[in-house]
Amino acid sequence: MSLVFSEETHRNLLARIPHCTGREVSDWLRAVDDGPAFLRFEEKVSWLRHEYDLAYGHAKAIVHEYDMRRAARRLR
């Protein structure tokens, strides 16, 4: 699934996550990594939303960031 948000909106959402959730983005990325091994983007988003009661936009931004960083690690 492609990211519907612009890159600027994505960065702004990530910047607000610690204030809105009380947890750093790195904590959320670890939670996705340690969570169930879902293959689909929307499954990960849905799991975060229901497991941690996150807003859809925040969950989507976290999963997108997780997927981007994971892809970057594979390219090295």
Side-chain angles (χ1 to χ4, degrees):
M1 170 179 246
S2 65
L3 181 67
V4 177
F5 303 131
S6 70
E7 186 59 34
E8 180 182 2
T9 301
H10 175 70
R11 284 193 312 271
N12 289 338
L13 277 168
L14 285 180
R16 292 180 49 208
I17 285 172
H19 173 73
C20 295
T21 67
R23 292 176 67 178
E24 294 297 321
V25 172
S26 59
D27 294 338
W28 288 114
L29 297 176
R30 243 185 327 278
V32 173
D33 200 39
D34 294 342
F38 294 120
L39 297 177
R40 292 180 40 232
F41 182 90
E42 283 299 325
E43 289 175 323
K44 294 175 198 173
V45 171
S46 182
W47 174 75
L48 275 177
R49 291 186 68 212
H50 292 96
E51 186 72 20
Y52 297 102
D53 197 30
L54 288 177
Y56 178 74
H58 291 146
K60 189 172 179 178
I62 290 165
V63 173
H64 179 67
E65 186 68 18
Y66 175 82
D67 287 347
M68 285 191 337
R69 289 184 186 194
R70 190 168 156 219
R73 284 192 307 259
R74 279 187 280 187
L75 293 176
R76 291 183 201 170

